[in-house]
Amino acid sequence: MNAIQIYGGKRLQGQTRIQGSKNAVLPILAATLLIDGTCEIENCPNISDVRHMIRLLESMCCKIERQGQTVKVHTGQLSHCDMPSDSVCVMRSSIMLLGALLARIGSVSMQYPGGCVIGSRPIDLHLQGLRKMGVTIEEKEDGFYAETKALVGTYHRLPFVSVGATENLLLAAVLAKGDTIIENAAREPEISALCEFLIKAGAKIEGAGTSRLVIHGVEKLYPITYRIPADRIVAGTYLAACLCSGGEIFLKEAPCIQMQSIIRVAEEMGAILEESKDGLLVICYERRKALSKLQTDSYPGFPTDIQSAFLTALTVADGRSIMEETIFENRFRIVPELQKMGANIQVQKNVVIIDGTERLQGALIQAEELRGGAALVLAGAMADGVTTVTNCHFIERGYEDICFDLQKLGIRCQKIDYPVTDI
Ligand code: UD1
C-alpha cells in the first residue's frame, strides 16, 4: 500500500492525538548508546525512521524490545559493526550515531547519511567539530572512517545554526574529558529534549534551550526512563489541514508552547486558535487571508518543516502570498504537483509567489519527500473530486498513520496499492 486516495472538498470536524516527536526521538535513541544498561523510551512513534534507527542500534549488538509505545534499548556490550547501508542512507539522522559511538567505542566506519531530497545537506560542521575534539576522520567517496583515542572538550562556534551538528557535538561532549562550549547552537525544542534526557541520565549541561551550551564532561551516564514530547511538526501539519479545508478540530496533546510561530501565522491567516494544557483547538470558517511575507527560520522562527503545509493552504487564500525558504535550497518540490491541481504558484529561487485560487481539483500526484508528501495529502483533502498521492513511503518516515489521523478529523481517505516510482 503505497498511495493515499482522498475524496476531498469536505470541512474538517473531529479530534486526533498527536504522536511523539520524530526529531526528538531519533537523537535520543542515538544517545542511549552512551549509556551502559537499559533505557526505556516512552511515547516512541512507530514511524519508519524509528524502525531504521532501531535496526542500526541492533546492528551494534543492542537489544531492542517494543511494547506498544515504549521501546526498551539494552545497550550492554557494544561492538564495531557493519551498519546496514539502506538504513544509514535513508535518513539523515543516522549521522547522530557518530558522536555517540565515538564516545562509547572510539571508532566508526559509516556511509554518508541520506534523508529528504530537500537540498545538499552536507555534514561538514559535524566533522569539523568532531576533529576539534580529537577525532581523526578519513573521508572516502561514499563514506568515512572516524577514530579517537579520547574525546576532549573544546570551544565551538557554529558558523550558522545547525540542529544536527549541535546534537552530534552534544552527544560527543557529554562523556568527553573537560568542558565543551557550543556557541550559536540551535535552539529547537528537540535539542532541549535531548538535553533533558542526557541531564536525567547524569550529564552536566548548562544552557539547554539557549544558543550557548556548556557541557561539563562526566565519567558515566546511567539508564533512565524518558517520555518523548509530542511532535510539533505533525501538530502543525494537521493545523494546516484545517487552514486548507476549513472546519473545527482539536489536536490532543499538541505542544502549543513550541508552536507559537506556527500559531501566530495561522491567526494571521484568519484562524481562531485556543491553546490549553490538553492541546490546541483550531477553528477556521472564513476564507483564509494571504500573507504578504512568510519566511522560514531556525527556532523560534517559522519551521522549514511546516513550510510545504502552509504553502498548500495559501494556494486557496484570498490574494497574493510570498514565502521565502531560508534553510534548505530545494524545498519547493511540491509546486509542480500543486500546479497540476490548479494552484497558481511561481518559484523564483528560494521564494514562491502564490496567487490564491478559489478551489483546487483532484489529481494523480507524487510525493517526493516527507513533509512535502504530507502537504500533498492536505491538498487532496481540500480539492474537489479524488486525489491520489503516490510514493507515500516518504510520508511514513515521519507520520505513524496520516490516514487514520485525517479520518479522525473527518477526511475521507484510504491507503491503496500503487507501485513505487523511483526518483
Ligand atoms: C533537522 C531536522 C529537520 C529540519 C532541520 C532544520 C532532524 C532529524 N531533522 O535537520 O527536520 O528540517 O533540522 O530545522 O532533527 N548544514 C551544513 N553543514 C552541516 C550541517 C548543516 O551546511 O554540517 C546546512 C544544511 O544543509 C541546511 C542548514 O545547515 O541548509 C540547516 O541544517 P540542519 O539544521 O543541520 O538540519 P538537520 O539537522 O539535517
Side-chain angles (χ1 to χ4, degrees), residues 157-179:
R157 182 173 173 83
L158 298 180
F160 51 87
V161 175
S162 160
V163 175
T166 304
E167 290 170 340
N168 228 341
L169 297 177
L170 189 57
L171 291 172
V174 284
L175 294 178
K177 281 201 175 68
D179 296 345

Side-chain angles (χ1 to χ4, degrees), residues 19-207:
Q19 68 186 57
S21 161
K22 161 185 167 292
N23 288 358
V25 75
L26 294 172
I28 286 174
L29 284 172
T32 61
L33 290 175
L34 297 169
I35 301 169
D36 187 0
T38 303
C39 287
E40 279 191 39
I41 311 298
E42 297 174 348
N43 199 31
C44 183
N46 194 357
I47 52 179
S48 65
D49 271 16
V50 165
R51 292 192 287 276
H52 281 292
M53 186 56 97
I54 286 177
R55 221 172 135 230
L56 289 168
L57 295 177
E58 283 172 339
S59 75
M60 293 154 204
C61 295
C62 294
K63 287 207 172 56
I64 315 284
E65 282 173 78
R66 189 188 251 283
Q67 290 162 348
Q69 292 293 310
T70 300
V71 168
K72 285 188 194 173
V73 184
H74 312 270
T75 54
Q77 208 61 47
L78 290 184
S79 68
H80 293 264
C81 57
D82 273 333
M83 294 187 215
S85 56
D86 53 332
S87 290
V88 172
C89 296
V90 82
M91 59 171 184
R92 187 161 159 87
S93 295
S94 51
I95 192 68
M96 262 344 110
L97 297 164
L98 179 58
L101 278 175
L102 285 168
R104 230 2 237 295
I105 56 176
S107 66
V108 184
S109 175
M110 72 186 284
Q111 283 174 294
Y112 290 117
C116 289
V117 284
I118 53 175
S120 62
R121 305 188 87 176
I123 54 165
D124 52 325
L125 295 186
H126 299 243
L127 301 187
Q128 262 166 34
L130 290 168
R131 283 191 173 109
K132 281 180 82 178
M133 297 179 78
V135 181
T136 316
I137 301 169
E138 202 186 309
E139 291 192 67
K140 300 178 199 141
E141 205 172 298
D142 59 344
F144 58 87
Y145 175 72
E147 192 180 41
T148 182
K149 289 203 173 59
L151 287 165
V152 282
T154 187
Y155 172 82
H156 304 275
R157 182 173 173 83
L158 298 180
F160 51 87
V161 175
S162 160
V163 175
T166 304
E167 290 170 340
N168 228 341
L169 297 177
L170 189 57
L171 291 172
V174 284
L175 294 178
K177 281 201 175 68
D179 296 345
T180 301
I181 297 172
I182 309 174
E183 283 190 351
N184 201 26
R187 289 178 285 164
E188 266 64 5
E190 295 75 25
I191 297 176
S192 304
L194 177 61
C195 289
E196 198 177 62
F197 172 87
L198 292 166
I199 291 168
K200 197 172 175 194
K204 291 207 160 47
I205 302 169
E206 293 163 31

